[in-house]
Amino acid sequence: MRVTVWNEFRHEKTDDRVRAIYPDGMHQVIADALKQAGHQVRTATLDEPEHGLTAEVLAQTDVLTWWGHAAHREVSDAIVDRVQARVLDGMGLIVLHSGHASKIFRRLMGTSCQLRWREAGERERLWVVEPGHPIAEGLGPYFEVEHAEMYGERFDIPAPDMLVFVSWFEGGEVFRSGCCYHRGRGKVFYFRPGHETYPIYHNPDIQRVLVNAVAWARPSAGPAAEFGNRKPLEPIGTR
Ligand code: ZN
């Protein structure tokens, strides 16, 4: 499968703590995990022309992963339109962590996608609440992230078509951490962990979820949707 890993790629350039964890950018760590799973992976970042998401790149992308945080507003609306159109036409989209507030996720959800948060390096326990779902394949009943940023409910999203993970945090909050949606012919998965100052994307359980999510979000071979006024398939009898 052809996967494009998109990253804002700003914190890694300006924050020594982040650079120490992701010297080549977190997109490289995510891309390596997906390459290990046998996918054809390219990366794209905000500061490239057209944010690295030309029409050609998107046409050759089966699944796009999205990490953004500080520069959501710098993402051009024309590129958001282009990504949305590809999702509606069948491309999978995996939205990661602070990507909850990205233009593309808010566009596809239609809500504010806001939440409560706290950065205290606390423990997060992700419970698998849909054990038969392909994104949970190979996981135990739960897995943990030792140091995480907290995201808490209410998370202002539409009710997911399928909820795969629920997080508990040491400080008491809970959160819907793995949310599946269908939009048009495309599939969207939101996955919560991924704060830039912790080595989240080096965690084998997290990498397993990313690999599973890409497999789940792959385009299906169903028919292209047809819209608009149509002639009848058979003559319609008069009554
Ligand atoms: Zn964060």
Side-chain angles (χ1 to χ4, degrees), residues 97 149 151 195-196:
H97 187 61
E149 178 187 23
Y151 278 4
H195 188 64
E196 66 276 5

Side-chain angles (χ1 to χ4, degrees), residues 1-5 29-42 62-63 207-208 210-212 214-215 218:
M1 215 182 329
R2 301 164 302 175
V3 184
T4 300
V5 174
V29 173
I30 295 170
D32 286 346
L34 296 173
K35 278 180 202 160
Q36 289 270 316
H39 298 307
Q40 190 183 317
V41 184
R42 69 167 100 207
D62 296 312
V63 178
Q207 293 189 359
R208 161 74 74 146
L210 295 176
V211 168
N212 290 349
V214 163
R218 70 190 313 153

Side-chain angles (χ1 to χ4, degrees), residues 102-207:
S102 63
K103 285 184 179 178
I104 183 61
F105 190 58
R106 287 186 292 125
R107 171 83 63 86
L108 287 163
M109 296 297 107
T111 54
S112 77
C113 301
Q114 292 304 298
L115 45 77
R116 297 151 62 108
W117 62 275
R118 165 175 67 241
E119 197 178 341
E122 64 204 272
R123 179 187 301 271
E124 173 180 10
R125 182 174 298 137
L126 291 101
W127 288 94
V128 175
V129 296
E130 204 58 68
H133 197 279
I135 294 178
E137 207 172 288
L139 298 169
Y142 63 84
F143 60 99
E144 295 182 346
V145 174
E146 189 58 39
H147 300 288
E149 178 187 23
M150 184 282 290
Y151 278 4
E153 297 282 348
R154 157 122 176 126
F155 183 18
D156 185 27
I157 47 171
D161 298 334
M162 193 69 88
L163 179 63
V164 185
F165 304 120
V166 171
S167 284
W168 164 91
F169 292 90
E170 205 173 341
E173 287 84 355
V174 295
F175 192 77
R176 288 169 289 170
S177 278
C179 305
C180 299
Y181 298 92
H182 286 78
R183 290 291 184 270
R185 300 172 77 204
K187 304 184 198 77
V188 179
F189 182 63
Y190 173 79
F191 187 46
R192 191 214 83 81
H195 188 64
E196 66 276 5
T197 57
Y198 308 117
I200 308 279
Y201 295 117
H202 293 282
N203 177 317
D205 290 322
I206 299 291
Q207 293 189 359

